[in-house]
């Protein structure tokens, strides 16, 4: 099994199996040139991982399973995205959302408007843009910090 | 920029595979139908920009995920 060494700013050097590398054919909006990512879970006990760019140590997104924090979260994966990800069954899919943490840790938000959907069998992913949805790019992870906003 | 005038029901084609048809107009709103190969990404511009910006902000989240997790479980922090 081929191993690759990946340098990461978040976790230092990481060794990964080549077959764990996820291909994002369109990159991620804002970072279109980076098309290879890897999921790094620093600790099984905690509900966050890094979506780390293989070719850019400085670029990693904090991601989480949206259903952990937003039990009612749901969306229809647009047909074009289904075909791009060659989805045959729902259980092939891994859904993650990108978390933004600003200066205030408690104000961390998740982007439910544009989830990252990965075909885990094919190792192909994309950030899906939902149409006609009430979700936004910023939902507070900690409802108490949301104030009067949505939780 | 190429500027073309089109009436309702008229279309333009871009290359061999992309067709944009004017479906309807109402006030200053134009409804467009777009046929394109599935590998062509089509987005409302302002939405795509918003997502880019959200991603750029998110990429500056330098916090270690462990700290974030501790915050969510204050008893164990």
């Amino acid at each position: 099994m081929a191993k690759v060494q990946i340098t990461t700013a978040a976790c230092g050097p990481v060794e990964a199996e080549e077959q764990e590398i996820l291909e994002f054919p369109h990159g991620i909006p804002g970072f279109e040139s980076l098309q290879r990512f890897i999921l790094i879970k620093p600790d099984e006990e905690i509900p966050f991982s890094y979506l780390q760019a293989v070719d850019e140590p400085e670029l990693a997104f904090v991601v989480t399973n949206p259903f952990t924090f937003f039990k009612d979260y749901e969306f229809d994966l647009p047909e074009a995205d289904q075909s791009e990800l060659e989805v045959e069954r729902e259980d092939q899919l891994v859904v993650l959302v990108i978390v933004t943490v600003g200066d205030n840790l408690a104000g961390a938000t998740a982007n439910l408007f544009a989830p990252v959907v990965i075909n885990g069998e094919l190792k192909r992913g994309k950030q899906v843009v939902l149409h006609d949805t009430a979700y936004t790019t910023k939902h507070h992870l900690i409802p108490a910090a949301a104030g009067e906003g949505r939780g | 920029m190429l500027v073309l005038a089109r009436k309702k029901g008229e279309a333009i084609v871009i290359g061999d595979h992309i067709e944009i048809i004017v479906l309807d107009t109402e006030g200053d709103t134009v409804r467009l139908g777009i046929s394109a190969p599935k590998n062509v990404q089509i987005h409302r511009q302002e939405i795509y920009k918003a997502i880019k910006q959200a991603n750029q902000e998110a990429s500056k989240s330098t916090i270690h995920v462990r700290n974030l997790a501790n915050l969510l479980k204050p008893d164990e922090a």
Side-chain angles (χ1 to χ4, degrees):
Chain A
M1 215 63 71
K3 297 243 184 207
V4 278
Q5 283 282 345
I6 298 167
T7 313
T8 78
C11 304
V14 170
E15 196 178 67
E17 303 282 355
E18 204 168 309
Q19 60 185 24
E20 288 172 42
I21 292 176
L22 306 168
E23 175 210 3
F24 281 66
H26 299 285
I28 284 186
F31 305 92
E32 286 82 355
S33 63
L34 297 168
Q35 299 178 345
R36 301 196 303 159
F37 285 82
I38 189 159
L39 273 175
I40 301 172
K41 197 160 182 51
D43 185 338
E44 284 300 324
E45 296 290 303
I46 64 179
F48 300 100
S49 305
Y50 292 104
L51 185 63
Q52 168 73 48
V54 171
D55 304 300
E56 172 50 69
E58 296 292 329
L59 182 68
F61 296 101
V62 175
V63 293
T64 190
N65 177 344
F67 308 108
T68 305
F69 294 96
F70 307 95
K71 302 257 182 285
D72 301 328
Y73 184 53
E74 61 175 359
F75 60 87
D76 289 322
L77 188 63
E79 227 173 88
D81 299 314
Q82 288 188 28
S83 111
E84 201 180 314
L85 294 173
E86 295 182 35
V87 183
E88 288 162 2
R89 304 181 320 279
E90 197 172 326
D91 66 8
Q92 292 176 307
L93 296 181
V94 177
V95 177
L96 298 167
V97 289
I98 295 178
V99 174
T100 301
V101 189
D103 299 337
N104 173 12
L105 206 59
T109 57
N111 182 349
L112 302 191
F113 181 66
V116 173
V117 181
I118 296 163
N119 181 333
E121 287 175 12
L122 208 61
K123 305 290 174 201
R124 184 185 301 164
K126 85 171 285 190
Q127 188 175 22
V128 169
V129 179
L130 302 180
H131 298 278
D132 304 318
T133 172
Y135 297 121
T136 72
T137 57
K138 288 187 170 140
H139 292 257
H140 285 273
L141 285 183
I142 305 167
E148 291 179 3
R150 60 176 76 236
Chain B
M1 185 191 292
L2 173 66
V3 179
L4 300 170
R6 300 277 66 197
K7 294 197 172 75
K8 198 194 286 186
E10 292 182 340
I12 60 172
V13 289
I14 301 174
D16 289 336
H17 303 295
I18 299 175
E19 184 180 297
I20 301 172
I21 182 164
V22 179
L23 294 174
D24 205 359
T25 62
E26 195 183 315
D28 58 2
T29 302
V30 180
R31 278 166 48 84
L32 301 172
I34 303 160
S35 310
K38 285 184 170 150
N39 61 350
V40 176
Q41 304 278 299
I42 303 167
H43 298 292
R44 294 177 176 90
Q45 185 188 47
E46 70 280 11
I47 287 176
Y48 197 70
K49 274 190 184 162
I51 288 165
K52 269 189 174 179
Q53 198 192 334
N55 286 343
Q56 263 144 9
E57 247 175 77
S59 72
K60 293 184 189 116
S61 305
T62 49
I63 183 179
H64 195 282
V65 295
R66 191 163 285 120
N67 297 341
L68 196 56
N70 285 341
L71 185 76
L72 297 166
K73 298 183 217 164
D75 296 346
E76 299 165 32

